[in-house]
Amino acid sequence: MRQLITLLFGLWTIIGYGQGREYVTVKKTMGLMGSRFDITVVAATEELGYINIEEAAAEITRIEKMISSWNPESETSLINKNAGIKPVKVSLELFKLIERAKQISEITDGAFDISYASMDLIWKFDGSMKYLPTETEIKKSIAKVGYKKIILNSDEQTVFLRQRGMKISFGAIGKGYAADKAKELLVSKQVIAGIINAAGDLTTWGTKASGEKWLIGIANPLSKDKIFSWLPIVESSVATSGNYEKYVLFKGKKYTHIIDPRTGWPSSGVNSVSIFSKSAELCDALATAVFIMGKDAGLALINQLGGTEVILVDDNNKIYKSNGIMFENNP
């Protein structure tokens, strides 16, 4: 549903300073969940740091096996195979993830919807599209989409997709969830600080080895090589959705790759959305949802959610922020 990104579409850059005497910073980049993961930990020794990173990677791999719709053996694939046929009993972990996903669908009025995987892929962003889809094609493409058709039975711990051909996918929430779970594991093992960057869904805890806060730099949308503001983040997460690279042009109008699952049409009016919250899972889901909802509805929603903030760049490269964002502007 959205393009995989490395360090938040280039809008954000992690900076680090000198190491403290008692701890070292260890970082490793690896391919997980079909994406790039950068895992950084602050540890007593380099050897221990690499052990911690491997433990985090194992946890991310475990989650992928559960939620991947590409793995025919996963619980998610079993749910999809039985769409319109019968409910499927699943693990409590997956049941709760789907339950939270439906709650996000409710508060975003369906802008976020894990059943988007049911959409017919009529939009192509590889240069092969020669004409706009018709209204009939658009309506048909979303005929099987709808989070209200995902039926949860908490007593039986089952998931049922009401319509044959329905599918769910965690592409807009899964990597954030995996980052949260890997962080949770490392914290439980007394890893004092770190960063997990899951293809742009970023979560942190603790501070740098020097004792200073992790910083995220906000680039000027008109000149991405120039940072105009720094934001310190403590025990926090951030995720970004943007339309910088994947789009098509018809009669001078730009159609982005982020499709509204309610209408089947590409979203418009926004260039990027960055969400800040404690949970990477929530950031991941809301970044996509707010992009689709647009500036006014998106800002209104975030301003009502406690502990969640947004920086939004519209299609004129004008920056908007929620009430709790305080810029530290550089000259």
Side-chain angles (χ1 to χ4, degrees), residues 93-104:
E93 182 178 10
L94 183 61
F95 186 88
K96 290 295 185 183
L97 176 60
I98 295 172
E99 190 173 57
R100 293 193 301 275
K102 283 198 68 175
Q103 290 168 352
I104 296 171

Side-chain angles (χ1 to χ4, degrees), residues 25-32 36-41 46 49-57 60 195-198:
T25 301
V26 182
K27 178 181 177 180
K28 187 174 182 180
T29 298
M30 53 188 72
L32 298 164
R36 171 176 166 162
F37 274 65
D38 298 299
I39 303 177
T40 304
V41 297
E46 186 174 289
Y50 281 117
I51 290 172
N52 295 148
I53 288 172
E54 291 303 323
E55 290 172 327
I60 293 164
I195 302 171
I196 298 172
N197 178 13

Side-chain angles (χ1 to χ4, degrees), residues 70-87:
W70 299 103
N71 178 357
E73 305 301 319
S74 74
E75 289 185 271
T76 301
S77 291
L78 191 59
I79 292 169
N80 290 343
K81 287 174 189 174
N82 285 281
I85 301 171
K86 65 178 181 180

Side-chain angles (χ1 to χ4, degrees), residues 221-261:
L222 299 177
S223 179
K224 298 183 180 60
D225 295 329
K226 295 182 180 179
I227 301 296
F228 76 86
S229 181
W230 295 102
L231 289 176
I233 53 173
V234 180
E235 308 292 334
S236 189
S237 304
V238 59
T240 293
S241 279
N243 67 353
Y244 295 101
E245 296 177 7
K246 284 193 174 184
Y247 60 88
V248 292
L249 287 171
F250 285 107
K251 296 182 178 178
K253 185 174 180 179
K254 185 177 182 180
Y255 296 88
T256 74
H257 75 285
I258 300 179
I259 310 296
D260 188 335

Side-chain angles (χ1 to χ4, degrees), residues 26-28 30 32 37 39-64 177-193 195-196 205:
V26 182
K27 178 181 177 180
K28 187 174 182 180
M30 53 188 72
L32 298 164
F37 274 65
I39 303 177
T40 304
V41 297
V42 176
T45 67
E46 186 174 289
E47 181 182 13
L48 183 58
Y50 281 117
I51 290 172
N52 295 148
I53 288 172
E54 291 303 323
E55 290 172 327
E59 175 70 351
I60 293 164
T61 300
R62 181 191 69 80
I63 291 164
E64 180 181 19
Y177 176 65
D180 281 339
K181 292 297 288 184
K183 170 182 170 179
E184 182 183 305
L185 175 69
L186 293 180
V187 169
S188 76
K189 293 180 175 293
Q190 286 77 53
V191 178
I192 62 169
I195 302 171
I196 298 172
W205 71 103

Side-chain angles (χ1 to χ4, degrees), residues 53-234:
I53 288 172
E54 291 303 323
E55 290 172 327
E59 175 70 351
I60 293 164
T61 300
R62 181 191 69 80
I63 291 164
E64 180 181 19
K65 288 179 180 177
M66 177 182 70
I67 68 173
S68 172
S69 56
W70 299 103
N71 178 357
E73 305 301 319
S74 74
E75 289 185 271
T76 301
S77 291
L78 191 59
I79 292 169
N80 290 343
K81 287 174 189 174
N82 285 281
I85 301 171
K86 65 178 181 180
V88 174
K89 187 174 179 62
V90 298
S91 63
L92 182 61
E93 182 178 10
L94 183 61
F95 186 88
K96 290 295 185 183
L97 176 60
I98 295 172
E99 190 173 57
R100 293 193 301 275
K102 283 198 68 175
Q103 290 168 352
I104 296 171
S105 295
E106 290 281 358
I107 66 170
T108 61
D109 193 29
F112 173 83
D113 191 334
I114 59 173
S115 74
Y116 78 88
S118 311
M119 282 195 290
D120 294 335
L121 300 179
I122 60 174
W123 293 91
K124 308 291 183 184
F125 299 95
D126 57 3
S128 64
M129 280 190 77
K130 303 301 181 186
Y131 62 90
L132 279 175
T134 65
E135 285 287 352
T136 300
E137 289 171 327
I138 293 284
K139 288 179 180 178
K140 184 181 176 183
S141 75
I142 59 169
K144 296 169 186 172
V145 177
Y147 70 92
K148 291 181 180 178
K149 301 174 187 175
I150 304 171
I151 311 303
L152 301 181
N153 184 322
S154 56
D155 293 331
E156 300 293 330
Q157 207 170 294
T158 60
V159 182
F160 178 53
L161 305 184
R162 185 179 290 165
Q163 195 172 349
R164 279 183 179 269
M166 275 190 73
K167 296 176 185 176
I168 58 171
S169 173
F170 297 94
I173 194 172
K175 281 180 284 296
Y177 176 65
D180 281 339
K181 292 297 288 184
K183 170 182 170 179
E184 182 183 305
L185 175 69
L186 293 180
V187 169
S188 76
K189 293 180 175 293
Q190 286 77 53
V191 178
I192 62 169
I195 302 171
I196 298 172
N197 178 13
D201 299 329
L202 190 82
T203 191
T204 73
W205 71 103
T207 62
K208 289 181 282 189
S210 63
E212 297 167 286
K213 295 176 183 177
W214 305 110
L215 291 179
I216 288 183
I218 306 171
N220 187 324
L222 299 177
S223 179
K224 298 183 180 60
D225 295 329
K226 295 182 180 179
I227 301 296
F228 76 86
S229 181
W230 295 102
L231 289 176
I233 53 173
V234 180

